[in-house]
């Protein structure tokens, strides 16, 4: 049995402001660093065999808090980056709604390819799912922690589980520094064991953008 822990990065100033990050390289803020250091001992107790992270700073620095406790290196994988939000990156959600009302309405309704140069959910799921499989392959039969982003995490999980995007809409977004646990064996394949696990903090738990 292989255990895959998919860990969302800590809070950023753009999370706090409901500003669309996408693949913009926004660092953790003080709260985000506190969240990472608080969650790291809980994940270290799971005795991970490998740590893999998105190369964006907010994810890589979150992973570094766990690496400091385990002594494991952090492998980076650009495929673990967040969904690319095209023309919305850098805008607040309010600004995106004002400037791109049709695309915003489609996005809110769950359209998998809403326009405005936003990466499609199909492409996002394929990208993250492949990265998750490769990460799990680093420690078959062991535990791997993957540090990534909220939207990418949900779509990648859905890809591994074979869930359609309409089903995934019923799965709540990962809060900052919370995680999803998947397990895999040769008989059952991938299965979901836990979702949105983590410590309760003072952070406002924002949707993944």
């Amino acid at each position: 049995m292989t255990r895959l822990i998919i860990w969302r990065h800590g809070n950023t100033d753009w999370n706090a402001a409901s500003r669309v990050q996408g693949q913009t390289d926004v660092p953790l803020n003080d709260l985000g660093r506190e969240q990472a250091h608080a969650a790291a001992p809980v994940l270290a107790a799971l005795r991970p065999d490998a740590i893999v992270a998105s190369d964006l700073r907010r994810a890589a620095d979150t992973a570094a808090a766990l690496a400091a406790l385990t002594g494991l290196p952090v492998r980076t994988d650009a495929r673990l980056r967040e969904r690319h939000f095209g023309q919305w990156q850098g805008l607040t959600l309010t600004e995106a709604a004002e400037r791109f009302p049709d695309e915003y309405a489609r996005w809110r309704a769950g359209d998998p390819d809403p326009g405005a140069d936003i990466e499609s959910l199909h492409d996002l799921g394929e990208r993250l799912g492949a990265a998750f499989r490769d990460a799990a392959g680093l420690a078959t039969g062991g535990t791997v922690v993957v540090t990534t982003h909220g939207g990418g995490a949900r779509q990648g999980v859905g890809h591994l589980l074979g869930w359609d995007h309409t089903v995934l809409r019923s799965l709540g977004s990962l809060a900052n520094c919370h995680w999803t646990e998947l397990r895999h064996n040769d008989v059952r394949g991938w299965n979901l064991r836990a979702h949105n696990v983590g410590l309760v903090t003072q952070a406002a738990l924002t949707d993944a953008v």
Side-chain angles (χ1 to χ4, degrees):
M1 182 273 295
T2 302
R3 178 167 56 181
L4 187 64
I5 304 296
I6 300 167
W7 188 23
R8 186 186 177 195
H9 62 79
N11 195 259
T12 71
D13 287 344
W14 284 27
N15 284 147
S18 295
R19 190 172 297 279
V20 180
Q21 295 179 115
Q23 295 187 7
T24 309
D25 199 6
V26 182
L28 296 175
N29 58 21
D30 288 343
L31 175 59
R33 287 186 286 272
E34 290 172 8
Q35 290 173 327
H37 286 289
V42 180
L43 292 174
L46 300 179
R47 302 178 65 86
D49 299 290
I51 304 171
V52 187
S54 159
D55 61 347
L56 297 179
R57 284 180 293 171
R58 58 190 183 273
D61 289 350
T62 297
L66 178 59
L69 295 181
T70 62
L72 293 169
V74 177
R75 304 168 186 251
T76 57
D77 187 339
R79 294 176 299 172
L80 293 170
R81 291 181 179 186
E82 180 58 291
R83 185 181 191 180
H84 194 281
F85 271 86
Q87 298 177 61
W88 292 12
Q89 292 190 168
L91 302 179
T92 65
L93 287 176
T94 298
E95 290 168 339
E98 291 172 350
R99 298 185 194 182
F100 302 90
D102 294 340
E103 293 88 345
Y104 185 84
R106 290 198 292 271
W107 176 69
R108 277 297 189 198
D111 188 324
D113 194 3
D117 299 326
I118 297 171
E119 184 177 10
S120 73
L121 291 182
H122 175 270
D123 290 350
L124 179 65
E126 290 275 350
R127 172 164 63 85
L128 270 293
F132 288 168
R133 286 193 189 93
D134 288 349
L138 295 173
T140 302
T143 297
V144 178
V145 175
V146 175
T147 310
T148 185
H149 308 265
R154 179 162 61 180
Q155 207 62 35
V157 165
H159 182 81
L160 292 186
L161 295 174
W163 292 359
D164 184 81
H165 71 91
T166 56
V167 176
L168 277 176
R169 281 177 60 78
S170 66
L171 189 68
S173 298
L174 276 177
N176 286 121
C177 253
H178 283 51
W179 58 90
T180 296
E181 179 180 338
L182 299 178
R183 296 194 185 186
H184 181 272
N185 63 50
D186 293 337
V187 176
R188 296 187 59 192
W190 289 101
N191 63 91
L192 177 67
R193 296 298 297 267
H195 177 63
N196 220 9
V197 180
L199 305 176
V200 176
T201 73
Q202 65 186 33
L205 304 180
T206 58
D207 286 341
V209 294

